[in-house]
């Protein structure tokens, strides 16, 4: 397959360089393959029943992300293509964490190869620096989270389809157009943020590909772009139609966040991403979100404006300068890819490193353009010297070795949930989310004293966290401090009324207090939010039976056993009903 300029995608030593990039990236991440599932991995992937059957494959397209999981809770996310890749991993390699994580590593290594190819075909720089930059991006600690975390595959896959769409645009004829449109469709169905990245296709055509087109083919190239734009528009509209048919909200979060909040969050991300690229300390999947101080916000906005202004000035002064165009292209990529993540911090209170995965590709493009500009200046000198090149290569390799060392060590932080939470506390002592995770796990293990201390610290750090109040409710229930448990549950539900686990915890407390009518109401609220919730069905059945409504109790019991046939408490209640009939 050839480019629209008539050059083959792989030339001379290109295949060997790409193979080397793949092997290096895979080697750096090989250590994480033995890690256990963490965070959302079990309900979303490892224990997901819909990833094990052909019938489940169809359900991935007809339900939202979390409804089509072992958790069975409705959400606003619709990402069937990513879930299909998990289904494929399950069918090929089984349901082990290692199998799913291997898929992440392979996707990530393939992305590094595609970045090297894209940089080379953009003529940003030569093969050597294209490969070095691609490897540097791939092994950078800031990019490691969505590779080591099984459920983080959404971000690497979005990057994959973005890169395929751009490489497809560089191929001749309808094959390239088909490949680009296929990648666009799959990208949209992989993660919602892909849609905000789509304008990069237009920037690519205007700033890079137009420069590459041969004079005789310029008219043909411009006219052939319209089917791509029309196809992309149709797919975006179709995506929102499907969401509407599935009754999934599309813009509610953005509309309720507020413009000023989004701007503050955006510059928080800009400052965080750039700092972690330059100095990768403080990696944290649970990074607490807090707006920047006035000084830091002003400094970040000023620095960003300075880069934008310098790029605009370079484009105005040197309109035909390829490095200037590529810097503008990379800056647009970084900005557009960062924007969707600005909604995460204000709404989730945490911002993981995974949000940097796609934006940092834009920084790589900017770096390649600057290196290409330096190379052109030196090669144009009267007495070109190669000493700078050897020194620069040596520095780049030293940095790569350092990054690889940090990334390999970071894989141990993803060994299990406890290790992940402890690593978060090492980066941000007092992190309420990490303390809540550790406290919840301690309570589930029956280590109630330790849980009390951890959850108390979490509450001191963030008294407005519904997760912490939910965990405290569970803890107080098992400490038999029922009045405090009741209040903690209600405090959590005020903050997050759509949390089914909060209603189940409250129903459990009310059952213990023999307040049957209130317990039935709370259990049925949980069932309304999560119909496939065996524990909620048990509590509803128990409360209904104690109210004398045995018909309702039997209905909840039957529905509970249908969704959770191995539930011990449901089976015990069933035996009690059978004994009563005798």
């Amino acid at each position: 397959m050839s480019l629209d300029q008539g050059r083959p995608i792989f030339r001379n030593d290109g295949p060997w360089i790409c193979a080397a990039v793949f092997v290096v990236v895979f080697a750096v991440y090989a250590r994480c393959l033995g890690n256990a599932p963490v965070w959302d991995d079990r309900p979303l992937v490892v224990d997901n029943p819909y990833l094990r059957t052909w019938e489940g494959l169809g359900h991935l397209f007809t339900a939202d992300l979390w409804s089509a999981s072992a958790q069975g809770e409705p959400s606003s996310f619709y990402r069937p293509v990513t879930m299909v890749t998990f289904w494929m991993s399950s069918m090929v390699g089984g349901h082990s964490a290692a199998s799913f994580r291997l898929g992440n590593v392979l996707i990530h290594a393939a992305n590094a190869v595609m970045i090297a190819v894209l940089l080379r075909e953009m003529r940003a720089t030569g093969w050597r620096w294209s490969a070095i930059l691609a490897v540097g991006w791939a092994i950078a600690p800031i990019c490691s989270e969505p590779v080591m975390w099984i459920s983080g595959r959404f971000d690497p896959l979005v990057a994959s389809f973005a890169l395929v769409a751009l490489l497809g645009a560089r191929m001749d004829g309808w094959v390239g157009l088909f490949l680009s449109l296929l990648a666009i469709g799959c990208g949209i169905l992989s993660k919602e943020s892909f849609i905000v990245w789509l304008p990069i296709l237009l920037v690519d055509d205007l700033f890079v590909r137009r420069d590459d087109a041969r004079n005789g083919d310029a008219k043909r190239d411009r006219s052939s772009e319209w089917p791509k734009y029309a196809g992309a528009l149709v797919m975006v509209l179709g995506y929102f139609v499907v969401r509407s048919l599935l009754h999934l909200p599309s813009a509610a979060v953005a509309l309720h966040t507020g413009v000023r909040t989004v701007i503050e969050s955006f510059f928080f991300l800009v400052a965080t991403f750039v700092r972690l690229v330059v100095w990768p300390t403080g990696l944290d999947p649970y990074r607490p979100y807090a707006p920047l101080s006035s000084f830091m916000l002003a400094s970040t906005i000023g620095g960003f404006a300075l880069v934008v202004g310098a790029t605009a000035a370079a484009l105005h002064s040197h309109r035909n300068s390829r490095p200037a165009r590529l810097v503008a292209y990379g800056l647009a990529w970084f900005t557009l890819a960062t924007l969707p993540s600005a909604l995460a911090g204000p709404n989730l209170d945490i911002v993981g490193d995974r949000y940097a995965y796609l934006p940092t590709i834009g920084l790589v493009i900017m770096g390649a353009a600057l290196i290409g500009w330096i190379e052109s200046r030196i090669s144009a000198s009267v007495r070109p010297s190669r000493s700078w090149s050897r020194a620069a290569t040596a520095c780049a390799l030293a940095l790569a070795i350092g990054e690889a060392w940090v990334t390999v060590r970071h894989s141990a932080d993803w060994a299990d949930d406890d290790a992940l939470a402890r690593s978060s506390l090492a980066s941000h002592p007092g992190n309420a989310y990490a303390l809540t995770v550790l406290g919840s796990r301690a309570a589930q293990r029956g280590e109630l004293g330790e849980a009390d201390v951890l959850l108390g610290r979490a509450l001191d750090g963030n008294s407005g966290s519904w997760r912490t109040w939910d965990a405290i409710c569970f803890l107080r229930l098992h400490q038999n401090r029922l009045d405090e448990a009741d209040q903690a549950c209600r405090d959590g539900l005020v903050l997050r009324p759509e949390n089914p686990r909060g209603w189940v915890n409250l129903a459990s407390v009310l059952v213990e207090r023999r307040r049957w009518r209130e317990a039935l109401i709370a259990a049925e609220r949980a069932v309304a939010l999560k119909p496939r919730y065996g524990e909620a069905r048990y509590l509803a059945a128990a409360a209904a039976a104690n109210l004398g409504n045995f018909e309702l109790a039997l209905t909840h019991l039957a529905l509970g056993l249908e969704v959770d046939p191995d539930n011990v408490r449901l089976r015990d209640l069933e035996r009690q009903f059978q004994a009563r009939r005798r």
Side-chain angles (χ1 to χ4, degrees):
M1 189 61 62
S2 63
L3 300 176
D4 50 10
Q5 298 101 307
R7 301 194 315 272
I9 282 185
F10 292 117
R11 299 182 302 167
N12 303 325
D13 53 355
W16 294 105
I17 291 176
C18 290
V21 169
F22 190 95
V23 170
V24 169
V25 174
F26 187 90
V28 169
Y29 283 92
R31 185 182 177 188
C32 76
L33 297 178
N35 289 348
V38 296
W39 210 353
D40 294 331
D41 288 346
R42 286 200 177 279
L44 187 64
V45 183
V46 177
D47 296 335
N48 190 339
Y50 300 105
L51 302 182
R52 304 187 178 197
T53 64
W54 285 94
E55 292 78 8
L57 178 62
H59 192 69
L60 300 177
F61 286 92
T62 57
D64 66 87
L65 178 68
W66 282 103
S67 292
S69 73
Q71 193 158 300
E73 296 178 14
S75 69
S76 61
F77 303 122
Y78 183 63
R79 304 171 181 180
V81 167
T82 304
M83 296 308 295
V84 167
T85 67
F86 284 128
W87 182 89
M88 295 169 64
S89 295
S90 176
M91 291 297 171
V92 173
H95 314 305
S96 69
S99 169
F100 291 116
R101 197 170 281 109
L102 175 63
N104 285 17
V105 174
L106 293 175
I107 291 169
H108 183 57
N111 285 346
V113 171
M114 287 192 285
I115 288 173
V117 173
L118 183 65
L119 292 177
R120 180 66 189 96
E121 298 310 327
M122 284 179 168
R123 289 189 286 130
T125 185
W127 263 122
R128 179 183 58 181
W129 277 106
S130 295
I132 290 174
L133 289 167
V135 169
W137 169 84
I139 65 176
I142 192 176
C143 293
S144 63
E145 178 180 310
V147 185
M148 296 179 183
W149 182 31
I150 295 172
S151 301
R153 183 178 295 186
F154 303 102
D155 294 284
L157 211 57
V158 160
S160 295
F161 291 124
L163 293 166
V164 170
L166 294 171
L167 291 173
R170 286 161 170 75
M171 294 180 180
D172 287 329
W174 289 99
V175 174
L177 176 62
F178 172 79
L179 188 61
S180 289
L181 289 176
L182 178 64
I184 291 169
C186 290
I188 292 170
L189 295 177
S190 294
K191 189 176 181 181
E192 299 79 4
S193 58
F194 187 88
I195 293 175
V196 181
W197 174 89
L198 280 174
I200 286 296
L201 294 171
L202 177 61
V203 178
D204 183 47
D205 289 332
L206 293 177
F207 280 72
V208 183
R209 290 189 61 232
R210 189 176 68 176
D211 233 17
D212 293 337
R214 292 173 296 181
N215 293 332
D217 292 338
K219 184 177 180 180
R220 175 185 63 81
D221 288 340
R222 286 196 295 272
S223 63
S224 67
E225 292 161 7
W226 289 107
K228 177 176 63 180
Y229 301 140
L233 180 60
V234 168
M235 284 187 281
V236 170
L237 293 175
Y239 170 76
F240 285 111
V241 168
V242 171
R243 289 183 65 93
S244 177
L245 293 174
L246 295 175
H247 306 291
L248 302 179
S250 296
V253 174
L255 292 175
H256 288 103
T257 303
V259 175
R260 178 175 178 175
T261 302
V262 170
I263 292 173
E264 290 179 342
S265 179
F266 172 78
F267 285 108
F268 170 87
L269 294 175
V270 170
T272 302
F273 293 167
V274 172
R275 178 181 62 80
L276 288 174
V277 167
V278 176
W279 192 251
T281 59
L283 300 173
D284 192 350
Y286 307 146
R287 177 176 294 102
Y289 170 73
L292 298 172
S293 66
S294 299
F295 173 76
M296 283 300 301
L297 181 61
S299 300
T300 305
I301 292 175
F304 187 80
L306 182 63
V307 172
V308 172
T311 303
L315 282 173
H316 179 74
S317 302
H318 310 284
R319 295 191 180 186
N320 296 321
S321 168
R322 173 168 288 271
R325 287 175 176 269
L326 287 176
V327 168
Y329 176 79
L331 183 59
W333 180 308
F334 176 78
T335 303
L336 290 172
T338 301
L339 273 174
S341 303
L343 297 172
N347 291 286
L348 300 178
D349 295 327
I350 58 174
V351 178
D353 298 328
R354 62 190 176 279
Y355 298 118
Y357 190 92
L358 184 64
T360 48
I361 297 177
L363 298 181
V364 170
I365 294 171
M366 293 173 70
L370 292 174
I371 289 173
W373 177 76
I374 293 171
E375 287 181 320
S376 65
R377 299 280 292 186
I378 291 177
S379 63
S381 64
V382 178
R383 298 178 60 184
S385 172
R386 295 189 176 275
S387 60
W388 79 271
S389 181
R390 289 192 290 269
T393 302
C395 289
L397 291 176
L399 287 172
I401 291 171
E403 285 190 328
W405 180 77
V406 174
T407 298
V408 170
R409 283 178 56 87
H410 188 47
S411 66
D413 296 336
W414 289 85
D416 54 45
D417 282 302
D418 287 341
L420 191 59
R422 285 193 296 269
S423 73
S424 176
L425 290 176
S427 299
H428 296 91
N431 185 335
Y433 191 101
L435 288 166
T436 298
V437 170
L438 289 172
S440 298
R441 289 177 60 79
Q444 291 164 7
R445 293 193 300 264
E447 299 168 359
L448 304 185
E450 181 182 354
D452 215 333
V453 173
L454 291 166
L455 292 175
R457 289 175 58 195
L459 199 60
D460 290 339
N462 183 6
S463 61
S465 169
W466 62 269
R467 297 182 182 89
T468 305
W469 284 113
D470 196 28
I472 289 174
C473 172
F474 179 87
L475 172 64
R476 297 291 181 253
L477 172 62
H478 285 77
Q479 291 174 325
N480 203 32
R481 295 159 62 175
L482 299 182
D483 288 342
E484 295 175 58
D486 190 311
Q487 188 59 53
C489 282
R490 296 181 191 278
D491 288 343
L493 288 168
V494 167
L495 296 167
R496 181 88 170 185
E498 65 274 20
N499 174 23
R501 286 176 295 281
W503 289 107
V504 159
N505 285 339
L506 178 59
S508 298
V509 173
L510 293 169
V511 164
E512 289 295 319
R513 303 182 73 180
R514 299 183 179 276
R515 291 162 58 175
W516 305 115
R517 191 167 302 282
E518 293 177 70
L520 178 60
I521 293 171
E524 289 188 331
R525 286 290 299 271
V527 167
L529 291 166
K530 182 179 176 179
R532 299 179 61 84
Y533 202 166
E535 189 65 17
R537 293 289 185 184
Y538 162 77
L539 292 165
N546 279 280
L547 288 169
N549 192 339
F550 294 104
E551 182 179 351
L552 179 60
L554 287 169
T555 299
H556 280 298
L557 177 63
L559 292 171
L561 289 171
E562 182 180 325
V563 300
D564 192 3
D566 298 325
N567 188 296
V568 175
R569 301 218 287 178
L570 282 168
R571 287 297 180 190
D572 183 60
L573 188 60
E574 181 184 38
R575 285 191 290 271
Q576 292 180 43
F577 277 124
Q578 291 171 347
R580 183 177 178 277
R581 287 198 190 104
R582 298 194 198 97

